[in-house]
Amino acid sequence: MTGADRIAEPDGAATPGPVEALREIGFWLERGRAQSHRVKAYRRAADVVAGLSADELAVYQEAGIWQDLPGIGPKTAAVIAQACAGQVPGYLTDLRRAAQPIGAPGKPLRSRLRGDLHTHSDWSDGGSPIEEMMSVAAALGHEYCALTDHSPRLTVANGLSAERLRRQLDVVAELNERFAPFRILTGIEVDILDDGALDQEADLLAELDIVVASVHSHLRADSATMTKRMVYAVANPNVDVLGHCTGRLVEGVRGNRPESTFDAELVFEACRRYGTAVEINCRPERLDPPSRLLRLAVEIGCHFSVDTDAHAPGQLDWQGYGCERAVANGVDPDRVINTWPVADLLAWTAAS
Ligand SMILES: [Zn+2]
Ligand SMILES: [Zn+2]
């Protein structure tokens, strides 16, 4: 059973209630790469309906006045009414039927993944609360999922100050009590600064389960500068994963962006030597690293992490895109750290 099937039928063939139906529509739209404004209406409607009591639900349903509620339009109202009447909403049925498998040739690796090590919540630039992201990760069959919101200098992405990150750690600790045995790994996607230093307090980084380090600024620096910067970051004992190493964009609303230039042999050699996994970023607009670099990292003997970099729940099902590329380029599943049981993973990240 693929992850998507599990989401579609979390309890066998149970008919979803209105909130579940709206959220599941959001999931399928995001998974199918819909623009976020199309998805937002459904997620907002789910929140509105979730805030109603059973009595209020009955009153609105009886009177057929769902559109009197803020943020509910004709499409969301139809979904709610059908779900309240005990039917699977027609739009949801259509989306379930239309869903295509993702990256079928990567299945042998996808089936071995136990988690995802790069995801965002609405604490930074993600679209959904931590709880929602993680309940979908668990429903997809993951045993663990790292929450890696951005670091302070990425202000456009509402990066977390040390204080906010500490607060987030408390929230995650509470959620983990509820989600067990599924485990939310604490984490960060920390910016690699111009000199290779990291954009967060070292003590705090050392406390986290997973540190993904990525370049988000001055991507056009010359090769020598970029190489030094990346090697310095990769060698930092707190760093576990090198995120989307070339920074390229190959499609999508942000347009195209060429790869950063750096000495990949040196950077990947440093990854191998200092125990930092090379991320295979699953986002369709990134597909990073490109195949020739992926093969180079395999040759050098790096570890890998196949991560979605999800900014919305439906994007958590994008791992197939990265798995397909990993398999095509000869990545050994045993070298992929998120195929490992959580204890082995955390022993490795703590040691290297
Ligand atoms: Zn990033
Ligand atoms: Zn990210």
Side-chain angles (χ1 to χ4, degrees), residues 5 24-25 43 46 49 66 87 96 115 120 194 207 210 246 297 316 338:
D5 293 334
E24 195 189 318
I25 287 170
R43 294 218 171 268
V49 177
W66 290 112
Q87 303 156 3
R96 284 179 178 176
H120 298 273
D194 287 347
E207 249 181 72
I210 299 292
T246 77
L316 288 164
N338 50 332

Side-chain angles (χ1 to χ4, degrees), residues 100-118:
Q100 299 292 327
I102 293 177
K107 217 173 171 185
L109 174 58
R110 174 64 191 87
S111 64
R112 288 195 47 189
L113 292 181
R114 293 171 189 259
D116 194 333
L117 302 182
H118 184 170

Side-chain angles (χ1 to χ4, degrees), residues 279-300:
E279 178 182 77
I280 300 174
N281 190 294
C282 298
R283 295 192 67 82
E285 80 275 22
R286 287 195 182 274
L287 301 181
D288 209 357
S291 295
R292 69 171 206 294
L293 293 186
L294 204 45
R295 286 194 297 270
L296 177 66
V298 168
E299 214 174 282
I300 286 174

Side-chain angles (χ1 to χ4, degrees), residues 23 25-34 39-40 43 128 311-315 318:
R23 293 209 169 123
I25 287 170
F27 172 87
W28 291 114
L29 290 171
E30 288 154 0
R31 182 183 181 275
R33 308 193 207 175
V39 185
K40 247 183 207 141
R43 294 218 171 268
S128 291
H311 286 67
Q315 297 175 1
W318 283 356

Side-chain angles (χ1 to χ4, degrees), residues 118 120 125 150 154 189-191 212-216 243-244 254 279 281 283 286 309 311:
H118 184 170
H120 298 273
D125 61 348
H150 288 287
L154 212 58
E189 181 181 16
V190 67
D191 261 49
V212 178
S214 310
V215 172
H216 289 118
H244 50 70
R254 286 188 287 170
E279 178 182 77
N281 190 294
R283 295 192 67 82
R286 287 195 182 274
D309 197 356
H311 286 67

